[in-house]
PDB file of all heavy atoms in Angstrom:
ATOM      1  N   PRO A 282       0.841  -1.202   0.000  1.00  0.00           N
ATOM      2  CA  PRO A 282       0.000   0.000   0.000  1.00  0.00           C
ATOM      3  C   PRO A 282       0.873   1.247   0.000  1.00  0.00           C
ATOM      4  O   PRO A 282       1.877   1.313   0.695  1.00  0.00           O
ATOM      5  CB  PRO A 282      -0.799  -0.102   1.296  1.00  0.00           C
ATOM      6  CG  PRO A 282      -0.781  -1.554   1.627  1.00  0.00           C
ATOM      7  CD  PRO A 282       0.531  -2.080   1.114  1.00  0.00           C
ATOM      8  N   GLY A 283       0.503   2.219  -0.815  1.00  0.00           N
ATOM      9  CA  GLY A 283       1.287   3.448  -0.922  1.00  0.00           C
ATOM     10  C   GLY A 283       2.170   3.483  -2.153  1.00  0.00           C
ATOM     11  O   GLY A 283       2.677   4.550  -2.519  1.00  0.00           O
ATOM     12  N   ASP A 284       2.382   2.334  -2.798  1.00  0.00           N
ATOM     13  CA  ASP A 284       3.161   2.326  -4.050  1.00  0.00           C
ATOM     14  C   ASP A 284       2.392   3.080  -5.128  1.00  0.00           C
ATOM     15  O   ASP A 284       1.171   3.029  -5.192  1.00  0.00           O
ATOM     16  CB  ASP A 284       3.408   0.893  -4.528  1.00  0.00           C
ATOM     17  CG  ASP A 284       4.436   0.153  -3.686  1.00  0.00           C
ATOM     18  OD1 ASP A 284       5.077   0.801  -2.842  1.00  0.00           O
ATOM     19  OD2 ASP A 284       4.571  -1.067  -3.878  1.00  0.00           O
ATOM     20  N   VAL A 285       3.122   3.785  -5.960  1.00  0.00           N
ATOM     21  CA  VAL A 285       2.496   4.528  -7.060  1.00  0.00           C
ATOM     22  C   VAL A 285       2.935   3.930  -8.387  1.00  0.00           C
ATOM     23  O   VAL A 285       3.997   3.323  -8.501  1.00  0.00           O
ATOM     24  CB  VAL A 285       2.842   6.036  -7.013  1.00  0.00           C
ATOM     25  CG1 VAL A 285       2.226   6.699  -5.801  1.00  0.00           C
ATOM     26  CG2 VAL A 285       4.331   6.260  -7.044  1.00  0.00           C
ATOM     27  N   GLY A 286       2.083   4.092  -9.370  1.00  0.00           N
ATOM     28  CA  GLY A 286       2.377   3.583 -10.701  1.00  0.00           C
ATOM     29  C   GLY A 286       1.501   4.249 -11.741  1.00  0.00           C
ATOM     30  O   GLY A 286       0.811   5.226 -11.456  1.00  0.00           O
ATOM     31  N   ARG A 287       1.545   3.704 -12.952  1.00  0.00           N
ATOM     32  CA  ARG A 287       0.764   4.238 -14.056  1.00  0.00           C
ATOM     33  C   ARG A 287       0.034   3.117 -14.766  1.00  0.00           C
ATOM     34  O   ARG A 287       0.542   2.014 -14.902  1.00  0.00           O
ATOM     35  CB  ARG A 287       1.694   4.932 -15.052  1.00  0.00           C
ATOM     36  CG  ARG A 287       1.286   6.347 -15.273  1.00  0.00           C
ATOM     37  CD  ARG A 287       2.250   7.098 -16.141  1.00  0.00           C
ATOM     38  NE  ARG A 287       2.789   8.261 -15.486  1.00  0.00           N
ATOM     39  CZ  ARG A 287       2.102   9.357 -15.240  1.00  0.00           C
ATOM     40  NH1 ARG A 287       0.848   9.432 -15.550  1.00  0.00           N
ATOM     41  NH2 ARG A 287       2.671  10.377 -14.662  1.00  0.00           N
ATOM     42  N   ILE A 288      -1.188   3.410 -15.222  1.00  0.00           N
ATOM     43  CA  ILE A 288      -1.974   2.422 -15.953  1.00  0.00           C
ATOM     44  C   ILE A 288      -1.425   2.295 -17.363  1.00  0.00           C
ATOM     45  O   ILE A 288      -1.234   3.290 -18.061  1.00  0.00           O
ATOM     46  CB  ILE A 288      -3.454   2.819 -15.979  1.00  0.00           C
ATOM     47  CG1 ILE A 288      -4.012   2.751 -14.571  1.00  0.00           C
ATOM     48  CG2 ILE A 288      -4.248   1.926 -16.921  1.00  0.00           C
ATOM     49  CD1 ILE A 288      -5.445   3.150 -14.438  1.00  0.00           C
ATOM     50  N   VAL A 289      -1.150   1.055 -17.763  1.00  0.00           N
ATOM     51  CA  VAL A 289      -0.613   0.781 -19.100  1.00  0.00           C
ATOM     52  C   VAL A 289      -1.740   0.378 -20.049  1.00  0.00           C
ATOM     53  O   VAL A 289      -1.783   0.820 -21.188  1.00  0.00           O
ATOM     54  CB  VAL A 289       0.460  -0.336 -19.029  1.00  0.00           C
ATOM     55  CG1 VAL A 289       0.963  -0.685 -20.404  1.00  0.00           C
ATOM     56  CG2 VAL A 289       1.599   0.091 -18.132  1.00  0.00           C
ATOM     57  N   SER A 290      -2.666  -0.475 -19.573  1.00  0.00           N
ATOM     58  CA  SER A 290      -3.788  -0.889 -20.420  1.00  0.00           C
ATOM     59  C   SER A 290      -4.939  -1.383 -19.554  1.00  0.00           C
ATOM     60  O   SER A 290      -4.775  -1.660 -18.370  1.00  0.00           O
ATOM     61  CB  SER A 290      -3.364  -1.983 -21.399  1.00  0.00           C
ATOM     62  OG  SER A 290      -3.068  -3.168 -20.719  1.00  0.00           O
ATOM     63  N   ARG A 291      -6.096  -1.487 -20.206  1.00  0.00           N
ATOM     64  CA  ARG A 291      -7.312  -1.968 -19.533  1.00  0.00           C
ATOM     65  C   ARG A 291      -7.635  -3.362 -20.034  1.00  0.00           C
ATOM     66  O   ARG A 291      -7.556  -3.634 -21.218  1.00  0.00           O
ATOM     67  CB  ARG A 291      -8.460  -1.011 -19.857  1.00  0.00           C
ATOM     68  CG  ARG A 291      -9.833  -1.512 -19.484  1.00  0.00           C
ATOM     69  CD  ARG A 291     -10.177  -1.090 -18.090  1.00  0.00           C
ATOM     70  NE  ARG A 291     -11.338  -1.805 -17.604  1.00  0.00           N
ATOM     71  CZ  ARG A 291     -12.482  -1.230 -17.301  1.00  0.00           C
ATOM     72  NH1 ARG A 291     -12.630   0.055 -17.471  1.00  0.00           N
ATOM     73  NH2 ARG A 291     -13.475  -1.947 -16.828  1.00  0.00           N
ATOM     74  N   LYS A 292      -7.980  -4.249 -19.138  1.00  0.00           N
ATOM     75  CA  LYS A 292      -8.378  -5.615 -19.469  1.00  0.00           C
ATOM     76  C   LYS A 292      -9.848  -5.791 -19.071  1.00  0.00           C
ATOM     77  O   LYS A 292     -10.400  -4.970 -18.348  1.00  0.00           O
ATOM     78  CB  LYS A 292      -7.502  -6.631 -18.711  1.00  0.00           C
ATOM     79  CG  LYS A 292      -6.017  -6.443 -18.915  1.00  0.00           C
ATOM     80  CD  LYS A 292      -5.612  -6.760 -20.323  1.00  0.00           C
ATOM     81  CE  LYS A 292      -4.107  -6.590 -20.471  1.00  0.00           C
ATOM     82  NZ  LYS A 292      -3.670  -6.684 -21.820  1.00  0.00           N
ATOM     83  N   PRO A 293     -10.496  -6.867 -19.498  1.00  0.00           N
ATOM     84  CA  PRO A 293     -11.903  -7.082 -19.125  1.00  0.00           C
ATOM     85  C   PRO A 293     -12.086  -7.268 -17.618  1.00  0.00           C
ATOM     86  O   PRO A 293     -11.173  -7.686 -16.913  1.00  0.00           O
ATOM     87  CB  PRO A 293     -12.277  -8.366 -19.864  1.00  0.00           C
ATOM     88  CG  PRO A 293     -11.286  -8.491 -20.969  1.00  0.00           C
ATOM     89  CD  PRO A 293     -10.029  -7.845 -20.472  1.00  0.00           C
ATOM     90  N   LYS A 294     -13.292  -6.949 -17.160  1.00  0.00           N
ATOM     91  CA  LYS A 294     -13.721  -7.155 -15.769  1.00  0.00           C
ATOM     92  C   LYS A 294     -12.886  -6.394 -14.751  1.00  0.00           C
ATOM     93  O   LYS A 294     -12.418  -6.961 -13.769  1.00  0.00           O
ATOM     94  CB  LYS A 294     -13.749  -8.636 -15.424  1.00  0.00           C
ATOM     95  CG  LYS A 294     -14.797  -9.391 -16.191  1.00  0.00           C
ATOM     96  CD  LYS A 294     -15.078 -10.692 -15.525  1.00  0.00           C
ATOM     97  CE  LYS A 294     -16.180 -11.375 -16.310  1.00  0.00           C
ATOM     98  NZ  LYS A 294     -16.778 -12.453 -15.593  1.00  0.00           N
ATOM     99  N   ASP A 295     -12.702  -5.124 -14.948  1.00  0.00           N
ATOM    100  CA  ASP A 295     -12.012  -4.242 -13.996  1.00  0.00           C
ATOM    101  C   ASP A 295     -10.609  -4.726 -13.658  1.00  0.00           C
ATOM    102  O   ASP A 295     -10.156  -4.654 -12.525  1.00  0.00           O
ATOM    103  CB  ASP A 295     -12.845  -4.080 -12.720  1.00  0.00           C
ATOM    104  CG  ASP A 295     -12.458  -2.839 -11.937  1.00  0.00           C
ATOM    105  OD1 ASP A 295     -12.045  -1.848 -12.560  1.00  0.00           O
ATOM    106  OD2 ASP A 295     -12.570  -2.853 -10.695  1.00  0.00           O
ATOM    107  N   LEU A 296      -9.924  -5.247 -14.637  1.00  0.00           N
ATOM    108  CA  LEU A 296      -8.533  -5.675 -14.484  1.00  0.00           C
ATOM    109  C   LEU A 296      -7.669  -4.693 -15.271  1.00  0.00           C
ATOM    110  O   LEU A 296      -7.993  -4.360 -16.408  1.00  0.00           O
ATOM    111  CB  LEU A 296      -8.358  -7.103 -15.011  1.00  0.00           C
ATOM    112  CG  LEU A 296      -7.063  -7.803 -14.658  1.00  0.00           C
ATOM    113  CD1 LEU A 296      -6.980  -8.036 -13.152  1.00  0.00           C
ATOM    114  CD2 LEU A 296      -6.980  -9.129 -15.380  1.00  0.00           C
ATOM    115  N   TRP A 297      -6.601  -4.241 -14.671  1.00  0.00           N
ATOM    116  CA  TRP A 297      -5.754  -3.214 -15.277  1.00  0.00           C
ATOM    117  C   TRP A 297      -4.301  -3.667 -15.269  1.00  0.00           C
ATOM    118  O   TRP A 297      -3.837  -4.269 -14.309  1.00  0.00           O
ATOM    119  CB  TRP A 297      -5.863  -1.912 -14.483  1.00  0.00           C
ATOM    120  CG  TRP A 297      -7.246  -1.378 -14.387  1.00  0.00           C
ATOM    121  CD1 TRP A 297      -8.212  -1.773 -13.513  1.00  0.00           C
ATOM    122  CD2 TRP A 297      -7.830  -0.359 -15.183  1.00  0.00           C
ATOM    123  NE1 TRP A 297      -9.355  -1.053 -13.709  1.00  0.00           N
ATOM    124  CE2 TRP A 297      -9.148  -0.170 -14.724  1.00  0.00           C
ATOM    125  CE3 TRP A 297      -7.366   0.435 -16.228  1.00  0.00           C
ATOM    126  CZ2 TRP A 297     -10.009   0.761 -15.281  1.00  0.00           C
ATOM    127  CZ3 TRP A 297      -8.216   1.361 -16.783  1.00  0.00           C
ATOM    128  CH2 TRP A 297      -9.516   1.523 -16.316  1.00  0.00           C
ATOM    129  N   ALA A 298      -3.581  -3.338 -16.324  1.00  0.00           N
ATOM    130  CA  ALA A 298      -2.134  -3.544 -16.359  1.00  0.00           C
ATOM    131  C   ALA A 298      -1.511  -2.261 -15.803  1.00  0.00           C
ATOM    132  O   ALA A 298      -1.717  -1.172 -16.341  1.00  0.00           O
ATOM    133  CB  ALA A 298      -1.656  -3.804 -17.778  1.00  0.00           C
ATOM    134  N   VAL A 299      -0.791  -2.407 -14.699  1.00  0.00           N
ATOM    135  CA  VAL A 299      -0.233  -1.253 -13.989  1.00  0.00           C
ATOM    136  C   VAL A 299       1.283  -1.361 -13.966  1.00  0.00           C
ATOM    137  O   VAL A 299       1.843  -2.380 -13.573  1.00  0.00           O
ATOM    138  CB  VAL A 299      -0.797  -1.186 -12.550  1.00  0.00           C
ATOM    139  CG1 VAL A 299      -0.171  -0.034 -11.788  1.00  0.00           C
ATOM    140  CG2 VAL A 299      -2.300  -1.061 -12.569  1.00  0.00           C
ATOM    141  N   ARG A 300       1.951  -0.300 -14.403  1.00  0.00           N
ATOM    142  CA  ARG A 300       3.414  -0.239 -14.387  1.00  0.00           C
ATOM    143  C   ARG A 300       3.855   0.345 -13.052  1.00  0.00           C
ATOM    144  O   ARG A 300       3.569   1.495 -12.715  1.00  0.00           O
ATOM    145  CB  ARG A 300       3.912   0.635 -15.538  1.00  0.00           C
ATOM    146  CG  ARG A 300       5.395   0.866 -15.556  1.00  0.00           C
ATOM    147  CD  ARG A 300       6.105  -0.352 -16.043  1.00  0.00           C
ATOM    148  NE  ARG A 300       7.538  -0.096 -16.029  1.00  0.00           N
ATOM    149  CZ  ARG A 300       8.433  -1.023 -15.828  1.00  0.00           C
ATOM    150  NH1 ARG A 300       8.064  -2.262 -15.674  1.00  0.00           N
ATOM    151  NH2 ARG A 300       9.698  -0.735 -15.810  1.00  0.00           N
ATOM    152  N   LEU A 301       4.523  -0.488 -12.259  1.00  0.00           N
ATOM    153  CA  LEU A 301       5.082  -0.061 -10.978  1.00  0.00           C
ATOM    154  C   LEU A 301       6.597   0.005 -11.105  1.00  0.00           C
ATOM    155  O   LEU A 301       7.159  -0.357 -12.143  1.00  0.00           O
ATOM    156  CB  LEU A 301       4.680  -1.049  -9.878  1.00  0.00           C
ATOM    157  CG  LEU A 301       3.175  -1.222  -9.661  1.00  0.00           C
ATOM    158  CD1 LEU A 301       2.905  -2.407  -8.760  1.00  0.00           C
ATOM    159  CD2 LEU A 301       2.588   0.037  -9.072  1.00  0.00           C
ATOM    160  N   SER A 302       7.289   0.422 -10.060  1.00  0.00           N
ATOM    161  CA  SER A 302       8.749   0.526 -10.116  1.00  0.00           C
ATOM    162  C   SER A 302       9.405  -0.853 -10.234  1.00  0.00           C
ATOM    163  O   SER A 302      10.520  -0.966 -10.725  1.00  0.00           O
ATOM    164  CB  SER A 302       9.273   1.246  -8.871  1.00  0.00           C
ATOM    165  OG  SER A 302       8.918   0.516  -7.715  1.00  0.00           O
ATOM    166  N   ILE A 303       8.707  -1.920  -9.812  1.00  0.00           N
ATOM    167  CA  ILE A 303       9.293  -3.262  -9.853  1.00  0.00           C
ATOM    168  C   ILE A 303       8.864  -4.068 -11.077  1.00  0.00           C
ATOM    169  O   ILE A 303       9.286  -5.200 -11.253  1.00  0.00           O
ATOM    170  CB  ILE A 303       8.928  -4.044  -8.577  1.00  0.00           C
ATOM    171  CG1 ILE A 303       7.418  -4.118  -8.441  1.00  0.00           C
ATOM    172  CG2 ILE A 303       9.569  -3.435  -7.371  1.00  0.00           C
ATOM    173  CD1 ILE A 303       6.940  -5.091  -7.404  1.00  0.00           C
ATOM    174  N   GLY A 304       8.008  -3.497 -11.916  1.00  0.00           N
ATOM    175  CA  GLY A 304       7.554  -4.201 -13.109  1.00  0.00           C
ATOM    176  C   GLY A 304       6.093  -3.906 -13.420  1.00  0.00           C
ATOM    177  O   GLY A 304       5.445  -3.126 -12.731  1.00  0.00           O
ATOM    178  N   THR A 305       5.563  -4.546 -14.452  1.00  0.00           N
ATOM    179  CA  THR A 305       4.177  -4.351 -14.860  1.00  0.00           C
ATOM    180  C   THR A 305       3.353  -5.556 -14.412  1.00  0.00           C
ATOM    181  O   THR A 305       3.700  -6.699 -14.709  1.00  0.00           O
ATOM    182  CB  THR A 305       4.079  -4.176 -16.386  1.00  0.00           C
ATOM    183  OG1 THR A 305       4.939  -3.105 -16.779  1.00  0.00           O
ATOM    184  CG2 THR A 305       2.663  -3.854 -16.812  1.00  0.00           C
ATOM    185  N   TYR A 306       2.261  -5.281 -13.689  1.00  0.00           N
ATOM    186  CA  TYR A 306       1.427  -6.333 -13.116  1.00  0.00           C
ATOM    187  C   TYR A 306      -0.031  -6.105 -13.459  1.00  0.00           C
ATOM    188  O   TYR A 306      -0.465  -4.963 -13.670  1.00  0.00           O
ATOM    189  CB  TYR A 306       1.599  -6.378 -11.595  1.00  0.00           C
ATOM    190  CG  TYR A 306       2.975  -6.816 -11.185  1.00  0.00           C
ATOM    191  CD1 TYR A 306       3.983  -5.890 -10.933  1.00  0.00           C
ATOM    192  CD2 TYR A 306       3.285  -8.161 -11.082  1.00  0.00           C
ATOM    193  CE1 TYR A 306       5.252  -6.300 -10.580  1.00  0.00           C
ATOM    194  CE2 TYR A 306       4.552  -8.586 -10.728  1.00  0.00           C
ATOM    195  CZ  TYR A 306       5.527  -7.643 -10.480  1.00  0.00           C
ATOM    196  OH  TYR A 306       6.784  -8.056 -10.140  1.00  0.00           O
ATOM    197  N   LEU A 307      -0.797  -7.196 -13.496  1.00  0.00           N
ATOM    198  CA  LEU A 307      -2.241  -7.118 -13.687  1.00  0.00           C
ATOM    199  C   LEU A 307      -2.889  -7.030 -12.312  1.00  0.00           C
ATOM    200  O   LEU A 307      -2.717  -7.917 -11.483  1.00  0.00           O
ATOM    201  CB  LEU A 307      -2.754  -8.361 -14.420  1.00  0.00           C
ATOM    202  CG  LEU A 307      -2.244  -8.538 -15.847  1.00  0.00           C
ATOM    203  CD1 LEU A 307      -2.714  -9.869 -16.402  1.00  0.00           C
ATOM    204  CD2 LEU A 307      -2.712  -7.403 -16.725  1.00  0.00           C
ATOM    205  N   LEU A 308      -3.608  -5.940 -12.066  1.00  0.00           N
ATOM    206  CA  LEU A 308      -4.227  -5.721 -10.761  1.00  0.00           C
ATOM    207  C   LEU A 308      -5.716  -5.444 -10.923  1.00  0.00           C
ATOM    208  O   LEU A 308      -6.131  -4.761 -11.859  1.00  0.00           O
ATOM    209  CB  LEU A 308      -3.577  -4.534 -10.041  1.00  0.00           C
ATOM    210  CG  LEU A 308      -2.097  -4.654  -9.684  1.00  0.00           C
ATOM    211  CD1 LEU A 308      -1.605  -3.354  -9.065  1.00  0.00           C
ATOM    212  CD2 LEU A 308      -1.885  -5.802  -8.730  1.00  0.00           C
ATOM    213  N   ASP A 309      -6.498  -5.949  -9.985  1.00  0.00           N
ATOM    214  CA  ASP A 309      -7.924  -5.666  -9.939  1.00  0.00           C
ATOM    215  C   ASP A 309      -8.115  -4.219  -9.483  1.00  0.00           C
ATOM    216  O   ASP A 309      -7.324  -3.692  -8.704  1.00  0.00           O
ATOM    217  CB  ASP A 309      -8.584  -6.634  -8.950  1.00  0.00           C
ATOM    218  CG  ASP A 309     -10.073  -6.711  -9.139  1.00  0.00           C
ATOM    219  OD1 ASP A 309     -10.685  -5.692  -9.519  1.00  0.00           O
ATOM    220  OD2 ASP A 309     -10.635  -7.794  -8.918  1.00  0.00           O
ATOM    221  N   GLY A 310      -9.180  -3.590  -9.947  1.00  0.00           N
ATOM    222  CA  GLY A 310      -9.428  -2.189  -9.626  1.00  0.00           C
ATOM    223  C   GLY A 310      -9.669  -1.903  -8.171  1.00  0.00           C
ATOM    224  O   GLY A 310      -9.561  -0.752  -7.732  1.00  0.00           O
ATOM    225  N   LYS A 311      -9.988  -2.922  -7.359  1.00  0.00           N
ATOM    226  CA  LYS A 311     -10.239  -2.678  -5.938  1.00  0.00           C
ATOM    227  C   LYS A 311      -8.963  -2.462  -5.145  1.00  0.00           C
ATOM    228  O   LYS A 311      -9.020  -2.013  -4.006  1.00  0.00           O
ATOM    229  CB  LYS A 311     -11.040  -3.832  -5.335  1.00  0.00           C
ATOM    230  CG  LYS A 311     -10.304  -5.148  -5.295  1.00  0.00           C
ATOM    231  CD  LYS A 311     -11.183  -6.238  -4.740  1.00  0.00           C
ATOM    232  CE  LYS A 311     -10.447  -7.567  -4.758  1.00  0.00           C
ATOM    233  NZ  LYS A 311     -11.305  -8.652  -4.310  1.00  0.00           N
ATOM    234  N   TYR A 312      -7.811  -2.759  -5.725  1.00  0.00           N
ATOM    235  CA  TYR A 312      -6.546  -2.623  -5.009  1.00  0.00           C
ATOM    236  C   TYR A 312      -5.882  -1.262  -5.178  1.00  0.00           C
ATOM    237  O   TYR A 312      -4.884  -0.987  -4.530  1.00  0.00           O
ATOM    238  CB  TYR A 312      -5.562  -3.704  -5.451  1.00  0.00           C
ATOM    239  CG  TYR A 312      -6.009  -5.091  -5.091  1.00  0.00           C
ATOM    240  CD1 TYR A 312      -6.297  -6.026  -6.063  1.00  0.00           C
ATOM    241  CD2 TYR A 312      -6.165  -5.467  -3.761  1.00  0.00           C
ATOM    242  CE1 TYR A 312      -6.718  -7.299  -5.737  1.00  0.00           C
ATOM    243  CE2 TYR A 312      -6.585  -6.736  -3.414  1.00  0.00           C
ATOM    244  CZ  TYR A 312      -6.861  -7.649  -4.407  1.00  0.00           C
ATOM    245  OH  TYR A 312      -7.292  -8.906  -4.076  1.00  0.00           O
ATOM    246  N   PHE A 313      -6.417  -0.398  -6.044  1.00  0.00           N
ATOM    247  CA  PHE A 313      -5.801   0.910  -6.232  1.00  0.00           C
ATOM    248  C   PHE A 313      -6.871   1.948  -6.538  1.00  0.00           C
ATOM    249  O   PHE A 313      -8.028   1.617  -6.793  1.00  0.00           O
ATOM    250  CB  PHE A 313      -4.751   0.882  -7.349  1.00  0.00           C
ATOM    251  CG  PHE A 313      -5.289   0.515  -8.699  1.00  0.00           C
ATOM    252  CD1 PHE A 313      -5.789   1.479  -9.559  1.00  0.00           C
ATOM    253  CD2 PHE A 313      -5.287  -0.802  -9.125  1.00  0.00           C
ATOM    254  CE1 PHE A 313      -6.272   1.145 -10.790  1.00  0.00           C
ATOM    255  CE2 PHE A 313      -5.762  -1.151 -10.362  1.00  0.00           C
ATOM    256  CZ  PHE A 313      -6.263  -0.169 -11.199  1.00  0.00           C
ATOM    257  N   LYS A 314      -6.470   3.210  -6.477  1.00  0.00           N
ATOM    258  CA  LYS A 314      -7.358   4.313  -6.841  1.00  0.00           C
ATOM    259  C   LYS A 314      -6.554   5.346  -7.616  1.00  0.00           C
ATOM    260  O   LYS A 314      -5.313   5.321  -7.619  1.00  0.00           O
ATOM    261  CB  LYS A 314      -7.997   4.943  -5.604  1.00  0.00           C
ATOM    262  CG  LYS A 314      -7.028   5.653  -4.706  1.00  0.00           C
ATOM    263  CD  LYS A 314      -7.733   6.296  -3.536  1.00  0.00           C
ATOM    264  CE  LYS A 314      -6.727   7.085  -2.701  1.00  0.00           C
ATOM    265  NZ  LYS A 314      -7.354   7.806  -1.632  1.00  0.00           N
ATOM    266  N   ALA A 315      -7.266   6.226  -8.286  1.00  0.00           N
ATOM    267  CA  ALA A 315      -6.604   7.269  -9.067  1.00  0.00           C
ATOM    268  C   ALA A 315      -5.857   8.205  -8.122  1.00  0.00           C
ATOM    269  O   ALA A 315      -6.342   8.553  -7.044  1.00  0.00           O
ATOM    270  CB  ALA A 315      -7.629   8.043  -9.883  1.00  0.00           C
ATOM    271  N   LEU A 316      -4.678   8.595  -8.515  1.00  0.00           N
ATOM    272  CA  LEU A 316      -3.862   9.502  -7.705  1.00  0.00           C
ATOM    273  C   LEU A 316      -4.214  10.931  -8.105  1.00  0.00           C
ATOM    274  O   LEU A 316      -4.141  11.283  -9.290  1.00  0.00           O
ATOM    275  CB  LEU A 316      -2.375   9.212  -7.940  1.00  0.00           C
ATOM    276  CG  LEU A 316      -1.381  10.036  -7.151  1.00  0.00           C
ATOM    277  CD1 LEU A 316      -1.547   9.787  -5.659  1.00  0.00           C
ATOM    278  CD2 LEU A 316       0.021   9.710  -7.571  1.00  0.00           C
ATOM    279  N   GLU A 317      -4.635  11.714  -7.132  1.00  0.00           N
ATOM    280  CA  GLU A 317      -4.995  13.112  -7.384  1.00  0.00           C
ATOM    281  C   GLU A 317      -3.725  13.958  -7.327  1.00  0.00           C
ATOM    282  O   GLU A 317      -3.104  14.074  -6.279  1.00  0.00           O
ATOM    283  CB  GLU A 317      -5.989  13.587  -6.325  1.00  0.00           C
ATOM    284  CG  GLU A 317      -7.210  12.714  -6.170  1.00  0.00           C
ATOM    285  CD  GLU A 317      -8.276  13.031  -7.179  1.00  0.00           C
ATOM    286  OE1 GLU A 317      -8.324  14.183  -7.649  1.00  0.00           O
ATOM    287  OE2 GLU A 317      -9.060  12.120  -7.512  1.00  0.00           O
ATOM    288  N   LEU A 318      -3.334  14.510  -8.443  1.00  0.00           N
ATOM    289  CA  LEU A 318      -2.152  15.370  -8.507  1.00  0.00           C
ATOM    290  C   LEU A 318      -2.585  16.819  -8.445  1.00  0.00           C
ATOM    291  O   LEU A 318      -3.419  17.265  -9.237  1.00  0.00           O
ATOM    292  CB  LEU A 318      -1.364  15.122  -9.789  1.00  0.00           C
ATOM    293  CG  LEU A 318      -0.767  13.722  -9.946  1.00  0.00           C
ATOM    294  CD1 LEU A 318      -0.093  13.595 -11.298  1.00  0.00           C
ATOM    295  CD2 LEU A 318       0.232  13.464  -8.847  1.00  0.00           C
ATOM    296  N   GLU A 319      -2.049  17.573  -7.502  1.00  0.00           N
ATOM    297  CA  GLU A 319      -2.358  18.993  -7.393  1.00  0.00           C
ATOM    298  C   GLU A 319      -1.264  19.782  -8.060  1.00  0.00           C
ATOM    299  O   GLU A 319      -0.087  19.493  -7.911  1.00  0.00           O
ATOM    300  CB  GLU A 319      -2.494  19.386  -5.920  1.00  0.00           C
ATOM    301  CG  GLU A 319      -3.660  18.700  -5.238  1.00  0.00           C
ATOM    302  CD  GLU A 319      -3.820  19.161  -3.806  1.00  0.00           C
ATOM    303  OE1 GLU A 319      -3.274  20.219  -3.453  1.00  0.00           O
ATOM    304  OE2 GLU A 319      -4.489  18.454  -3.054  1.00  0.00           O
TER     305      GLU A 319
END
């Protein structure tokens, strides 16, 4: 929790490919939220 990354692609059923500092992983949408940048 607290790791930041970027969405690379969207997969079916709320599954997202997310690029983190340690690699790109498929994560369900319930494990992350959009980061609000001010």
